[in-house]
Amino acid sequence: GIVVFAGLPFIVEILSLHSKRLRDFVEGSATVIIKDGKVLEENLKKEYYTTDELLQLLRGQSIFDLSEVEYAVLEANGKVSALPKKDYRPLTRKDLGLASVNEKEPHTVIMDGEILDEPLDSIGKNRGWLQTELDKKNITIENVFLGQIDSYGALTVDLFDDKIQIPEPQERPLLLANIKKCQADLELFALATESQSAKSLYTKNAKKMEESMQKLTPFLKG
């Protein structure tokens, strides 16, 4: 009996790999519960889910307004996968017409006050560049507990002495200020023009810039 109960799940799992029908029977299948922005009440009842439970699952996806959802699927594991409407999706670099940037893992170049030459060389940097960056922050190698270079080539450090205040770089706050100015200029252009098509275009792009600002502020704020 013990052998049967221990081996049965393993056998079912092997068989499920070769049969979708068996896999759907054993593991269950996904159910569409929101389509074209409308809740499919019959499918919701079929899965024995209430409206309150649906809203709770959407909140787990950081969606608090049902009207923002274009499409949602109740997965076999009980979680909801939701596709927001286009107007509520996060702004991307593509939306702004910017070239895509591949994020890379940070490289640790200082550890326990010692420079690690191998990762420094692998990203095309040298000790001279590293020393210049440390001089900008007015700190010494010996006081750096951990130093890393991110995918944008910026050096971030954590010090042994946490009381020392590291000056914030000014490039990012300056970029944020320029974005705010650009957004304000677009709003002014929308108010100044008498062309409805131009007004609509300026207003649309001003809104995009505002959404972009909201996303970027935590990263660019000084």
Side-chain angles (χ1 to χ4, degrees):
I2 294 175
V3 172
V4 171
F5 280 109
L8 186 60
F10 178 74
I11 295 172
V12 170
E13 185 175 352
I14 295 297
L15 294 176
S16 297
L17 293 175
H18 303 282
S19 172
K20 185 178 186 308
R21 184 174 296 179
L22 178 60
R23 188 162 61 247
D24 289 343
F25 176 76
V26 174
E27 300 177 1
S29 58
T31 303
V32 178
I33 53 177
I34 299 177
K35 186 177 182 180
D36 298 328
K38 299 182 182 297
V39 178
L40 305 181
E41 292 86 357
E42 292 301 321
N43 287 355
L44 203 60
K45 291 178 182 178
K46 178 183 174 183
E47 298 295 333
Y48 301 101
Y49 272 78
T50 65
T51 306
D52 287 333
E53 289 172 325
L54 171 61
L55 295 175
Q56 180 182 354
L57 290 170
L58 289 174
R59 288 195 295 271
Q61 299 290 322
S62 300
I63 299 175
F64 292 84
D65 190 343
L66 189 63
S67 65
E68 297 179 4
V69 182
E70 178 71 24
Y71 187 84
V73 175
L74 180 64
E75 305 291 356
N77 60 6
K79 294 183 179 180
V80 165
S81 299
L83 175 69
K85 293 180 179 178
K86 193 169 183 179
D87 291 341
Y88 298 100
R89 296 175 197 172
L91 197 65
T92 64
R93 296 179 63 89
K94 184 178 179 180
D95 294 329
L96 297 174
L98 301 176
S100 61
V101 176
N102 294 326
E103 292 285 344
K104 297 179 181 179
E105 74 281 2
H107 294 268
T108 302
V109 295
I110 304 175
M111 186 179 292
D112 297 326
E114 298 290 336
I115 297 177
L116 306 180
D117 290 305
E118 185 176 346
L120 196 60
D121 293 337
S122 68
I123 54 176
K125 305 292 184 183
N126 54 40
R127 290 193 173 215
W129 176 89
L130 184 59
Q131 188 59 55
T132 301
E133 293 300 309
L134 291 173
D135 290 341
K136 289 179 183 178
K137 300 177 182 296
N138 197 28
I139 55 179
T140 61
I141 287 281
E142 292 76 15
N143 198 33
V144 178
F145 170 67
L146 187 69
Q148 292 184 314
I149 299 176
D150 62 21
S151 56
Y152 297 99
L155 175 67
T156 58
V157 296
D158 183 83
L159 306 181
F160 285 109
D161 188 351
D162 294 329
K163 294 181 180 179
I164 296 178
Q165 297 296 322
I166 303 174
E168 292 287 343
Q170 296 302 311
E171 293 83 359
R172 293 185 181 184
L174 183 60
L175 175 59
L176 180 61
N178 287 333
I179 294 175
K180 288 181 179 178
K181 182 179 182 302
C182 183
Q183 190 263 344
D185 287 343
L186 287 171
E187 290 181 343
L188 288 175
F189 294 155
L191 293 173
T193 184
E194 296 181 359
S195 170
Q196 290 301 319
S197 59
K199 186 185 293 290
S200 175
L201 181 63
Y202 288 138
T203 302
K204 180 181 178 180
N205 284 285
K207 184 178 179 181
K208 282 188 175 182
M209 291 298 293
E210 185 178 2
E211 293 173 354
S212 178
M213 252 191 325
Q214 292 174 355
K215 299 290 183 182
L216 293 174
T217 296
F219 303 100
L220 299 180
K221 194 173 182 180

